[in-house]
Amino acid sequence: MPVDTHSQPLQAAPPPTFKYKSPPSAASINASEVVSDYLARLQKAIEKPTVLDLQDVILPEGFWRDGLFLTWDLRTLRGVDKISQFLSKVVTEKRLGSLNIKPTVGNYKRLPVLQVGENAISISAYIDVESDEGLGEGIIRLFLDSNNTWKAFTIYTSLTSLKQHPEASGANRPHGGLHGDQSSNPTNWKERLAAFSEFTTSDPTVLIVGAGQAGLTVAARLTRLGIPTLIVDKNPRIGDNWRNRYHSLVLHDPVWYDHLPYIPFPKTWPIFTPKDKLGDWLEFYARSLEIPVWTSTTPTSSSYENGKWTVKVLREGKERTLSPKHVILATGHSGEPNIPTFPGQEVYKGKITHSSKWSNPERLKGKKVLVVGAGNTAHDIAQSLYSNGAYPTLIQRSSTHVLSSKIGLPALLGTTYCENGPEVEEADLQFFSLPNAVTKAYHQAIIKDLKSPSKDGQIIEGLNKAGFVTDDGPDGAGLLIKYFDVGGSYYIDIGASSMIIDGKIGVKHGRLNKFTEKGILFEDGQELEAAEVVLATGYQNMRTTAGAIFPCVKDAVKPVGGFDSEGEFNTLFRDSGHPGLWFMGMNLAHCRWYSRVLALRIAGQEFGLY
């Protein structure tokens, strides 16, 4: 998803190092006792969060990252001064209530982890947090400073449930035993579900536009919280947003990273998911979790007054008027294609196709094809073209970050998301608890290491010699930070890089001047001929899509995506700038995690908690 050009610079924050005069041995440190003692100190310090008190428990440049627990927002505070100001605010004091912090216990939580190095001794530990309103969890990362005092480098707290409104799952799962002949309601389950999904006598509280992973995951969370939710999608079937994409598409993220909430992929699932298989899974997911979805449905007009929307939708030729309190735009990659226009397009005698509509590579056997773009989609299409006997050339207009699927991707995901790794709930807590600035620092070190010839360095060198321009991501931080920062311009290599190096896929790096009758003329004077041009130029930003679908919000919506001044994401899962409008998107892992954030944010409002 491309982001608006409003991303703030994100300064990397590496973990601290110290000079120990006489460091303790690992055997002399009881990690559980250290954590219990530290939490007692932290609890006392935040009762009156002065700078002086916090200096005893948090390192000077330490972080407190919070997901809805301290306020109803996503915040990252760095430095004792800012954390003190944040914890002293009236709104924060109200949320804190009778805050209790204690070590986490549970069937998937690990004991505290001690790491002893020459310049850093640290402990990572899971914690439970509780306030008057809700329950939550988090992670603390403690470091032993040069004065032999344990202090936090990062503290993470996250709201996971509301005390008075728990999710209908696990211990609170529905009974399911309401039989027609044993109750005052003569209908059976199937009939009741159909009636509920039609919203004939009531309106959904939340209307979601888009039935991809973003819309379905947040709808799953909302329905478990008892908030009536309806998804509308323009496609005839749930999952068509994936089925309709290019023929060879297989996810570049591995299965361990891609599970959805409540229903993880089975153990038999392939490491990399084919697009049609994912589309079928999304359809199964919606049915299994009883998520109301109207397919072949599009919004036609909208307005917002007095805290409510009026949205007219066209469903299979029939118009319905809905009055939800909240609208979530979850179109993501199924939104409007980003189709740039170039001078001279009208004189070109070949075919110009956006990647969202491109198919049937076999028809281009023996022909030259230009693929404008150099990200995952462009590489996949070029690879498919070559495999079907065509002569593809990638048109690269800016640099691309390249990471190998075999070596680079496992290095990036580490032991967090892997076979026989932690359960996904635990893995997510490890991953999302880190401030993005700290993640950036870790990834800078990983990318630097990957550039060695024995890893991805040989591929990078070969690509550069072939004329393909690579980069290391923002400040050398690689793929993930580039995805967060600019939304694209990266490739997880599954084979196309070697084809470029071997000359099987051509490369032209440069700016397009204009189309000609036979192809494209570049600013350096070179002309490339082609029977077809494929525009692998991505999709429009969700802010643009929102203005197109809901014109009434066009001037109010804030930039979507990229980083804010604290290193959190702009607008996504947060206030959009227009009341009652929310944005939900990103990859499967982020949809899995942030769907709970957005659902709880809406639930807090609906249940009168803020």
Side-chain angles (χ1 to χ4, degrees):
M1 180 191 71
V3 301
D4 283 347
T5 56
H6 292 80
S7 187
Q8 298 293 313
L10 181 70
Q11 182 181 358
T17 58
F18 301 94
K19 292 183 179 179
Y20 298 113
K21 295 179 180 178
S22 55
S25 64
S28 68
I29 300 173
N30 185 316
S32 294
E33 288 184 1
V34 169
V35 171
S36 295
D37 175 69
Y38 174 81
L39 291 177
R41 290 166 49 215
L42 176 63
Q43 183 74 57
K44 185 176 180 180
I46 62 177
E47 289 175 0
K48 186 181 179 182
T50 65
V51 172
L52 187 62
D53 291 326
L54 292 177
Q55 283 176 342
D56 290 336
V57 291
I58 300 175
L59 291 167
E61 292 300 311
F63 291 84
W64 191 315
R65 190 180 196 192
D66 182 69
L68 305 190
F69 196 81
L70 301 178
T71 69
W72 288 99
D73 198 4
L74 302 173
R75 300 294 304 273
T76 296
L77 290 306
R78 186 181 188 187
V80 172
D81 288 351
K82 288 186 177 180
I83 294 172
S84 173
Q85 293 172 16
F86 177 67
L87 294 179
S88 299
K89 289 182 178 179
V90 174
V91 65
T92 309
E93 290 175 348
K94 182 180 179 183
R95 284 304 323 277
L96 280 170
S98 56
L99 175 63
N100 295 301
I101 303 177
K102 57 184 182 296
T104 295
V105 293
N107 60 353
Y108 67 84
K109 297 295 192 289
R110 293 176 175 175
L111 294 172
V113 176
L114 172 67
Q115 291 184 311
V116 177
E118 183 178 350
N119 297 312
I121 300 174
S122 65
I123 295 174
S124 297
Y126 295 93
I127 60 173
D128 283 333
V129 289
E130 180 179 358
S131 72
D132 292 342
E133 298 169 349
L135 302 172
E137 59 187 0
I139 288 183
I140 54 173
R141 294 176 176 86
L142 308 179
F143 281 76
L144 188 67
D145 70 9
S146 53
N147 294 318
N148 286 331
T149 301
W150 289 97
K151 296 181 180 180
F153 174 52
T154 67
I155 299 173
Y156 178 68
T157 47
S158 175
L159 181 68
T160 59
S161 64
L162 303 173
K163 287 184 176 179
Q164 300 302 315
H165 306 278
E167 276 191 348
S169 63
N172 299 307
R173 70 178 73 231
H175 183 272
L178 182 62
H179 299 290
D181 58 352
Q182 297 176 4
S183 73
S184 59
N185 188 342
T187 60
N188 67 7
W189 165 83
K190 183 177 181 181
E191 292 165 336
R192 289 192 299 272
L193 179 60
F196 170 71
S197 299
E198 287 301 308
F199 290 95
T200 53
T201 60
S202 63
D203 281 301
T205 302
V206 181
L207 176 66
I208 301 174
V209 181
Q213 69 265 17
L216 290 172
T217 51
V218 72
R221 303 279 195 185
L222 287 164
T223 53
R224 301 286 85 70
L225 287 165
I227 297 175
T229 301
L230 171 66
I231 301 178
V232 297
D233 192 281
K234 64 183 179 182
N235 291 306
R237 289 177 59 191
I238 298 168
D240 278 350
N241 63 312
W242 284 100
R243 293 188 195 95
N244 293 340
R245 297 185 70 188
Y246 58 92
H247 182 266
S248 61
L249 174 59
V250 175
L251 265 63
H252 292 233
D253 299 327
V255 62
W256 314 289
Y257 185 66
D258 285 342
H259 294 292
L260 299 183
Y262 307 116
I263 308 179
F265 293 120
K267 297 291 185 182
T268 57
W269 202 261
I271 295 175
F272 298 103
T273 306
K275 69 179 182 72
D276 298 282
K277 190 175 181 69
L278 179 58
D280 291 347
W281 182 263
L282 294 180
E283 193 170 45
F284 158 78
Y285 185 82
R287 289 176 178 172
S288 298
L289 293 176
E290 303 176 4
I291 300 171
V293 180
W294 292 358
T295 53
S296 300
T297 304
T298 55
T300 57
S301 66
S302 63
S303 62
Y304 184 87
E305 292 181 3
N306 301 320
K308 266 199 172 184
W309 288 85
T310 299
V311 181
K312 290 185 178 181
V313 300
L314 191 64
R315 183 189 187 194
E316 298 178 342
K318 297 181 180 179
E319 189 174 76
R320 282 282 302 270
T321 300
L322 303 169
S323 298
K325 290 184 180 180
H326 305 268
V327 167
I328 300 175
L329 189 68
T331 51
H333 284 298
S334 61
E336 295 301 313
N338 179 40
I339 306 177
T341 57
F342 300 98
Q345 279 185 210
E346 67 281 357
V347 305
Y348 176 58
K349 293 184 177 181
K351 185 179 180 181
I352 301 174
T353 309
H354 188 267
S355 59
S356 60
K357 303 294 183 183
W358 185 83
S359 62
N360 302 326
E362 63 277 1
R363 64 189 167 79
L364 293 163
K365 182 177 181 180
K367 297 180 180 180
K368 295 179 180 179
V369 183
L370 301 180
V371 182
V372 180
N376 276 337
T377 298
H379 280 81
D380 286 354
I381 290 175
Q383 186 172 355
S384 178
L385 283 164
Y386 177 81
S387 299
N388 282 276
Y391 301 102
T393 296
L394 288 176
I395 309 303
Q396 187 189 35
R397 295 173 294 168
S398 60
S399 61
T400 306
H401 177 68
V402 178
L403 184 82
S404 71
S405 178
K406 185 177 180 179
I407 298 175
L409 191 58
L412 212 59
L413 298 177
T415 58
T416 306
Y417 298 103
C418 62
E419 193 73 72
N420 301 317
E423 295 292 329
V424 68
E425 293 87 355
E426 181 182 351
D428 283 348
L429 193 52
Q430 291 178 13
F431 179 77
F432 289 100
S433 65
L434 275 177
N436 285 320
V438 180
T439 297
K440 183 173 182 176
Y442 280 126
H443 284 207
Q444 284 175 330
I446 293 170
I447 297 303
K448 183 178 180 180
D449 179 65
L450 283 173
K451 292 177 69 176
S452 67
S454 62
K455 297 181 179 178
D456 282 354
Q458 190 171 358
I459 293 174
I460 302 301
E461 183 180 359
L463 287 171
N464 292 335
K465 286 182 179 180
F468 188 88
V469 181
T470 61
D471 64 53
D472 297 332
D475 301 323
L479 183 151
L480 194 66
I481 300 300
K482 193 166 189 180
Y483 172 60
F484 292 163
D485 204 23
V486 300
S489 298
Y490 58 83
Y491 172 53
I492 301 175
D493 179 32
I494 57 173
S497 290
S498 63
M499 292 181 176
I500 293 171
I501 293 169
D502 295 340
K504 297 173 181 177
I505 296 175
V507 173
K508 172 61 181 178
H509 184 88
R511 296 178 63 86
L512 285 69
N513 182 9
K514 65 179 181 178
F515 273 72
T516 65
E517 288 187 5
K518 296 182 179 181
I520 294 177
L521 179 67
F522 292 84
E523 289 187 349
D524 64 4
Q526 183 180 9
E527 181 180 3
L528 294 180
E529 297 181 1
E532 185 166 320
V533 174
V534 182
L535 301 178
T537 47
Y539 295 80
Q540 293 181 10
N541 182 267
M542 294 181 77
R543 185 188 194 189
T544 304
T545 305
I549 298 176
F550 304 108
C552 63
V553 310
K554 187 174 182 179
D555 297 328
V557 175
K558 298 184 290 187
V560 180
F563 297 115
D564 68 8
S565 60
E566 293 181 354
E568 293 290 348
F569 299 128
N570 283 313
T571 308
L572 278 166
F573 333 113
R574 310 171 72 185
D575 288 328
S576 69
H578 186 285
L581 177 69
W582 310 88
F583 289 92
M584 182 72 200
M586 300 184 76
N587 62 30
L588 274 75
H590 285 79
C591 287
R592 177 180 65 245
W593 180 261
Y594 284 105
S595 58
R596 182 172 65 184
V597 170
L598 181 50
L600 286 172
R601 178 72 190 271
I602 291 173
Q605 194 173 115
E606 286 306 301
F607 298 141
L609 299 179
Y610 72 98

